[in-house]
Amino acid sequence: MKAEIIAVGTELLLGQIVNSNAQYLSEELASLGIDVYFQTVVGDNMSRLSQAIKGGAERADLLILTGGLGPTQDDLTKEAVAEVLGKSLHIDRMAMDNIDRFFQGRGTPMTENNRRQALSIDGGTPLPNATGLAVGNAIAENGKFYILLPGPPNEMKPMFEAEAKPWILQHVLTHETPLYSQMLKFAGIGESALETRLLDLIKDQADPTIAPYAKEGEVTIRISTKANTESEAMVKLDKLTEEIASRLSDHLYATGDIPIEKTIIDLMTEKGLTLSAAESCTGGLLMETLTTVPGSATVFLGGIVCYSNAMKEKLLNVPHDLLEGENAPGAVSAETAQVLAEQVRMIVDTDFGLAITGVAGPGYSERKPAGLVYIAISRRGGDTKVIELNLKGNRDTIRLRSTKTILYHLWKQIKDN
Amino acid sequence: MKAEIIAVGTELLLGQIVNSNAQYLSEELASLGIDVYFQTVVGDNMSRLSQAIKGGAERADLLILTGGLGPTQDDLTKEAVAEVLGKSLHIDRMAMDNIDRFFQGRGTPMTENNRRQALSIDGGTPLPNATGLAVGNAIAENGKFYILLPGPPNEMKPMFEAEAKPWILQHVLTHETPLYSQMLKFAGIGESALETRLLDLIKDQADPTIAPYAKEGEVTIRISTKANTESEAMVKLDKLTEEIASRLSDHLYATGDIPIEKTIIDLMTEKGLTLSAAESCTGGLLMETLTTVPGSATVFLGGIVCYSNAMKEKLLNVPHDLLEGENAPGAVSAETAQVLAEQVRMIVDTDFGLAITGVAGPGYSERKPAGLVYIAISRRGGDTKVIELNLKGNRDTIRLRSTKTILYHLWKQIKDN
């Protein structure tokens, strides 16, 4: 089963927005076992759009189009697909009711062009839009499948998940054995080291298949298998997950697409543990990351960004002798990291206190190079663990990797006890 | 002049990475006055890649290919272009020297496949890679132009800027009058309100042209004009910028692609002003944003993330009566925002103190809805300004908009005095 993704919109060709829809859909289709051979972007232009649809239908079995379903004369996707298929368009009653309700609720009159958002291709299936006004469409014709989704990701993704994916499973993959996948997420290990530890499994892979890939600071593996039922698939997936976990228990932090900060917040919530942080070179990134997790307030109580030495002394009681003077270790040192972690833990009165101090760059600080970073984890009634990092990259990368690394070490400390 | 961008790489078709190169190149080409009619993504497959190149050359005058220049057997872009053009490949001496030096510097032996990264198409121009090993290529053939760039953005962007863009100006746009552009950046105003205030200019636009677009929390306008010399262009661009500035002086914060936090840090550095912050619902995002700017340490001295009420009392001296009790205003209130801003300014001893407290959601807090946020700016020897925001969106959006809004108000306060 071959698929092609066609994104429609002149704003993409002007570089005003990134085509993140193609990435999302490609990932989703891969997880269904469908191969994407081409992604195309075309502007709001009838002849070029028709050309792209015809070209796509020659190459692929399934075409997914995003964008161009809106109310203006520039929104041409439904017209173009209908024209290529020799079909007409009609107003879908339910979609029109949804649009009418929206404008009644806002108390503003509906302009006539909004009716275009309720158009549906004759013989197709309208796909309801739970978060917007433009109805989607799915249609099979001459052994090819066409799915039309809105352009805004906050409309496209829910519509794909709730409407298009079930339609694909029912109409497109009718005669294929369904593919089941599981994501495994790792921290504190690079992609190549992880591959080396799983080399025999990756080399021998037949069923389930193993596909590793790396994003900034974390590594993900997707394991997939075809099976007639979910429970049959889960037996195979669980067995492989267990084997991988037995080799990488200090790195496998989640089964499922979950960031490590959520794993930490959930684990600490469950154990009734609390957390605080003192940040120097990361300037708030660690705390910002932790507090992206809804419900983090019961675990993460607060912390201090001590960007200047004066602040380290004043708010976090770092001795002046440690920070300044001929032979002082300096702000970027294991000693200072330790004091910061212990002090913030005591000041905020939490079970754990984290600290990051280092040189984010560009250039040197205290005659120390960019990338030299100390992280510390202080635990109530326990020792303080201090680790020296020598990171590569630019300012943003160094800040991000410092944050990911301390989260990894925190997770490792709390997961076992 | 029509262009097409072809990104090569199976990892794009699997959805493992977003095609941000296409966005960058589209924006750059637009600024040169070149129209992009198609963007294509194709995998590491010789026949499909050749098909994409042939199709692109039928539709466009200029093809820019990214990716597939690396050392492995999967990297096929140079071979594919050479094949389509009926050319051979040779090892470029300077690129090979660069690769040899790299491996000598690392003290590791070079594996034979790295020689592939020095390949260049006969009759083409090798484009040196300042940040990596794979040499780029530019070649003109049968009235069509082909530019081959590496896939990693940190290699592609510098090569485009230093090598490909001058080549385009010299060989592709030889007979065209050059296009000059200027970016204008606005804060504290939405795209539609901005368009309304510039409607007559946008409607009458002929030269320079005006292209507005919105990203999260800020609006950008690009004004462009064709001229024979830069100084001739600048006369026209400066005149229009002045007209726009006279209408929107409270919103136009930069000419050039600069984030508002950099404008603020630069302005405060110049004026010798210092800054601190107390954050509740944004959890560190404001401080993190400010400290992304290199050199921010002389302006931003530090701050406190007071996620819990206890922390607001303990570290920032917010009176208990303000936070809790039957008729207390609560943590999410104008009163609390004001105390937080004033206290953090006094504790850290800075000229300005910022505070954000609100409900980021999901759901309610203190029976107040997600999106209700109070921001406060306290100034040494001045009044404290408190503003109530009623923001829409999810947790991430509310946090981002709160941050952008307080930065806008801070900029407005400091720009004039």
Side-chain angles (χ1 to χ4, degrees), chain B residues 131-150:
Chain B
T131 53
L133 298 183
V135 70
N137 264 240
I139 186 163
E141 186 73 16
N142 299 326
K144 305 280 180 179
F145 302 92
Y146 302 80
I147 295 177
L148 288 66
L149 301 172

Side-chain angles (χ1 to χ4, degrees), chain B residues 95-327:
Chain B
M96 197 61 235
D97 286 350
N98 186 35
I99 294 169
D100 283 333
R101 267 196 309 276
F102 173 81
F103 282 98
Q104 279 159 18
R106 289 209 339 186
T108 51
M110 185 195 77
T111 54
E112 191 55 26
N113 57 3
N114 277 291
R115 295 174 59 85
R116 291 171 57 81
Q117 301 196 80
L119 286 175
S120 187
I121 300 171
D122 288 358
T125 305
L127 307 178
N129 189 335
T131 53
L133 298 183
V135 70
N137 264 240
I139 186 163
E141 186 73 16
N142 299 326
K144 305 280 180 179
F145 302 92
Y146 302 80
I147 295 177
L148 288 66
L149 301 172
N154 63 348
E155 297 179 30
M156 190 279 289
K157 291 181 187 179
M159 190 186 291
F160 181 82
E161 191 60 32
E163 307 293 339
K165 199 168 154 180
W167 193 87
I168 290 172
L169 289 171
Q170 196 183 339
H171 295 92
V172 183
L173 300 177
T174 322
H175 304 296
E176 308 212 7
T177 315
L179 187 82
Y180 295 90
S181 297
Q182 178 139 301
M183 297 271 269
L184 306 180
K185 301 221 29 178
F186 302 86
I189 188 166
E191 189 181 14
S192 58
L194 183 118
E195 280 195 33
T196 307
R197 308 253 298 258
L198 301 177
L199 207 56
D200 54 323
L201 297 176
I202 293 172
K203 276 203 166 167
D204 295 345
Q205 68 174 302
D207 179 33
T209 57
I210 304 176
Y213 50 102
K215 284 182 190 172
E216 191 57 64
E218 56 182 36
V219 181
T220 303
I221 284 182
R222 172 181 278 132
I223 58 174
S224 310
T225 188
K226 291 196 171 188
N228 290 313
T229 66
E230 186 167 1
S231 58
E232 193 188 310
M234 288 317 291
V235 171
K236 290 192 274 182
L237 294 177
D238 285 349
K239 185 161 170 258
L240 180 58
T241 302
E242 253 174 59
E243 173 61 32
I244 293 171
S246 73
R247 299 182 187 197
L248 290 157
S249 64
D250 266 2
H251 301 285
L252 175 64
Y253 74 81
T255 55
D257 192 9
I258 295 166
I260 193 164
E261 53 271 18
K262 176 156 170 54
T263 301
I264 288 170
I265 295 292
D266 289 350
L267 207 53
M268 293 185 81
T269 304
E270 195 183 294
K271 297 184 180 221
L273 295 170
T274 54
L275 182 63
S276 58
E279 298 186 57
S280 182
C281 64
T282 43
L285 181 59
L286 170 60
M287 295 190 267
E288 193 270 311
T289 304
L290 286 162
T291 57
T292 55
V293 182
S296 49
T298 53
V299 169
F300 176 75
L301 303 189
I304 293 167
V305 176
C306 48
Y307 221 53
S308 67
N309 276 357
M311 285 288 294
K312 291 182 184 76
E313 285 185 48
K314 187 170 174 184
L315 289 187
L316 287 149
N317 311 317
V318 180
H320 186 77
D321 299 351
L322 217 55
L323 294 171
E324 277 157 46
E326 183 96 21
N327 294 311

